[in-house]
Amino acid sequence: MKRDGSFYLNPYLGGFLLGLVLLSTYYITGRGLGASGAIKSSVVTTVHAVAPDHAKQSAYYSQFLSDKKSPMNNWLVFEVLGVLAGAFFSGALWGRLKTKVEHSPKITGRTRLISALIGGALFGFGAQLARGCTSGAALSGMAVLSSSGIITMLAIFGSAYIFSWTFKRLWI
Amino acid sequence: MTAPLIPLEQIPEAWNNVIALMLGMGFGFVLESSGFSSSRKIMGTFFGYDFVVLKVFFTAGITAMTGIIYLDYLGVMDASMLYINPYYVYAAIIGGLIMGAGFALGGFCPGTSFTGVAIGKIDALVFTIGLFAGIFLFSEAYGLFEGIFNGHFMGTSKIYELIGMKESVFAALLIIVAVAMFFVATWVEKKVDKVNY
């Protein structure tokens, strides 16, 4: 196994291991994995800190606020801190720790960053509407065969397939 | 039945965050080791030059699904206690379509962008700033979208019930479809020109 950044796990082995992590999560906690929920917690916390009355009166933020604990004291926030640590460990192990803007040679770094910002905003928005992202809705949903998760998964991949050809110049 | 462990109080609630951190580490390690910290590797699935996302995602999904069905069958875990995302038809579809557009522009999904951030990708970091902005916008404009968000509620529906199939039959079909997709994907990968990234 080379440590120059070129090594990747066999995708079926990677998928099997990811499946075991997901299965363990259900076995232990009764819920699946997630990602966007942790960012939601940080949005709720930030808004609550800057404008507490606004947050309490909002029909959306107020669902995630409690007098007992901070929205940051949340399962998904700790899980995502783990994701960062685990990914860092993997990057260090395989020699992939490097600060850079990865982009197609056909576009500039600036174009890449602008499209990443807009893409992130759309993803965040859509994940709120669908009550979860690729992790919490689609992947965890497939494990328990939920209609919501599988329908959202088909919508994400179908739409991403069409739009990726629309924005082909960004990638190849 | 002893599982799921925390809801059945087999493990004290106090361990919850420690367990979250450990499972998250496993999640992050596998995603990064599989190559999900690179947006151009991820996007290969849509252009046909690298199907790692399709292979990892569906292998993980069918592994976890099979494990859950089997543990329930053995009487080790009560699968009816597992959390199921409620199905609001419009929100699930429209939200997914918007996420797909974000995927094609940003090259990441939230989980994979965190692994990119962890190894130093600036584009991944900017994507997460976008996530923050998008969630903030949705929350502030919630009133406008409340109708879609709460529209056409179908409970905690299961996909096999929705299409009138037995769970075991649907699960078996899903595995067959996944394996067929893996063969097709590998065949397409060989036909499509390699992209260097």
Side-chain angles (χ1 to χ4, degrees), chain A residues 43 47 54 58 60-61 117-118 120-126 128-129, chain B residues 129-145:
Chain A
V43 171
V47 173
H54 173 64
S58 152
Y60 198 65
Y61 297 124
L117 187 69
I118 300 169
L122 286 168
F123 218 122
F125 190 98
Q128 293 317 292
L129 202 51
Chain B
I129 296 169
L131 285 176
F132 191 95
I135 294 171
F136 177 70
L137 278 175
F138 178 86
S139 311
E140 291 298 326
Y142 177 66
L144 294 174
F145 302 101

Side-chain angles (χ1 to χ4, degrees), chain A:
Chain A
M1 285 183 239
K2 284 192 274 185
R3 298 182 61 177
D4 59 358
S6 64
F7 174 80
Y8 293 109
L9 281 183
N10 172 294
Y12 304 114
L13 175 62
F16 179 69
L17 294 175
L18 181 55
L20 292 185
V21 172
L22 181 56
L23 178 62
S24 309
T25 308
Y26 273 113
Y27 181 81
I28 299 170
T29 72
R31 302 178 70 107
L33 293 163
S36 56
I39 304 273
K40 180 178 75 189
S41 294
S42 60
V43 171
V44 175
T45 307
T46 308
V47 173
H48 185 59
V50 175
D53 291 338
H54 173 64
K56 279 182 201 133
Q57 281 158 17
S58 152
Y60 198 65
Y61 297 124
S62 58
Q63 298 172 37
F64 312 108
L65 287 168
S66 106
D67 293 332
K68 288 190 202 120
K69 60 176 197 175
S70 153
M72 291 309 274
N73 184 2
N74 170 290
W75 199 89
L76 281 177
V77 171
F78 285 89
E79 185 233 73
V80 165
L81 291 174
V83 168
L84 290 168
F88 178 82
F89 181 63
S90 166
L93 188 62
W94 310 123
R96 274 195 286 275
L97 297 182
K98 191 166 184 281
T99 310
K100 70 169 172 182
V101 178
E102 186 189 21
H103 62 87
S104 157
K106 289 181 187 161
I107 58 168
T108 61
R110 188 185 145 88
T111 306
R112 167 72 186 122
L113 293 182
I114 293 168
S115 61
L117 187 69
I118 300 169
L122 286 168
F123 218 122
F125 190 98
Q128 293 317 292
L129 202 51
R131 296 172 169 77
C133 60
T134 337
S135 307
L139 183 62
S140 300
M142 184 169 22
V144 290
L145 297 175
S146 83
S147 300
S148 155
I150 290 187
I151 299 292
T152 300
M153 173 187 84
L154 293 172
I156 294 175
F157 284 116
S159 159
Y161 182 76
I162 294 164
F163 281 110
S164 58
W165 286 91
T166 312
F167 303 119
K168 185 177 172 214
R169 202 181 62 95
L170 292 174
W171 305 107
I172 54 172

